[in-house]
Amino acid sequence: MEKELVHAEFERVRLEFRQLVDSADSAGLRRLSNGTRWTNRQLLFHMLLGYLIMRALLGLVRMFGRLPPGVSRWYAQLLNAGTRPFDVVNFIGSYCGGSVLSPDRMTKMFDHVIAKLHRRLDAETEADLARGMHYPTRWDPFFKDYMTLADVYRFPTRHFDFHQRQLTLTQPSD
């Protein structure tokens, strides 16, 4: 894995997130996004959430990556069976988080989580990055059946880029 590529991706999305929030007016933040049931503000929180959950995802790989592969396969199947409750929690969490947190606070949180991910990535060894586990593929289109720690570091940026295309912060006539 080329750590510098991931560092560059993290910085790109950090700056893009800041630009999206700084250029958005209150009407744009309240507007419904394209293809979701969230407003743009709630979707921005959901994009941030993709990075906030990294601590848990990295911890899971560290733990399950040391166990026999069948254990994480079983765990992924269990999580796949709970997709409906996950979808509800995912929706409500982003709905509430995007409704409660100010755009300025989201930007500060984004900067903070990216800084932490830079430090964590720098501390990873090649052996750490090669360790992996099975994931619940029904939870997110960017989860693969088996993901290494290196794959997990790339996940939130793919998630971010996908959802960025759903934002409708400006109207076509703007």
Side-chain angles (χ1 to χ4, degrees):
M1 173 184 174
E2 295 181 38
K3 288 183 180 182
E4 290 311 310
L5 175 64
V6 178
H7 282 300
E9 287 178 345
F10 286 166
E11 277 307 295
R12 174 183 61 84
V13 297
R14 186 185 69 77
L15 294 172
E16 285 178 13
F17 190 85
R18 178 171 291 281
Q19 190 276 328
L20 288 166
V21 171
D22 288 348
S23 66
D25 62 14
S26 59
L29 290 169
R30 286 190 310 269
R31 189 174 299 117
L32 285 177
S33 60
N34 183 23
T36 79
R37 295 181 295 158
W38 292 311
T39 64
N40 286 314
R41 182 171 163 178
Q42 293 160 344
L43 182 56
L44 285 165
F45 178 81
H46 181 75
M47 293 161 65
L48 164 62
L49 188 60
Y51 291 90
L52 294 174
I53 65 166
M54 284 295 294
R55 178 181 228 169
L57 295 178
L58 296 172
L60 285 173
V61 174
R62 282 187 182 85
M63 181 179 68
F64 282 104
R66 288 177 165 75
L67 300 172
V71 176
S72 72
R73 188 177 298 112
W74 172 83
Y75 185 68
Q77 290 170 349
L78 180 67
L79 293 178
N80 271 330
T83 298
R84 281 189 182 246
F86 167 79
D87 288 343
V88 170
V89 169
N90 186 36
F91 174 78
I92 292 172
S94 293
Y95 182 91
C96 292
S99 298
V100 172
L101 289 178
S102 72
D104 183 57
R105 183 69 185 131
M106 283 191 267
T107 301
K108 289 176 182 166
M109 289 175 72
F110 206 99
D111 289 346
H112 180 74
V113 72
I114 293 295
K116 286 179 107 174
L117 287 172
H118 279 304
R119 289 191 299 273
R120 288 191 79 167
L121 178 58
D122 282 338
E124 304 289 3
T125 66
E126 288 301 316
D128 294 332
L129 293 168
R131 188 170 287 122
M133 67 175 279
H134 291 275
Y135 267 80
T137 56
R138 293 179 56 203
W139 280 33
D140 192 280
F142 300 104
F143 282 169
K144 298 182 294 186
D145 176 54
Y146 188 87
M147 294 175 68
T148 64
L149 195 62
D151 296 327
V152 173
Y153 271 105
R154 304 292 302 275
F155 158 77
T157 300
R158 290 185 176 106
H159 179 262
F160 178 97
D161 290 340
F162 173 80
H163 286 302
Q164 184 176 10
R165 293 187 293 273
Q166 295 178 308
L167 291 169
T168 59
L169 291 167
T170 59
Q171 295 208 17
S173 60
D174 288 352

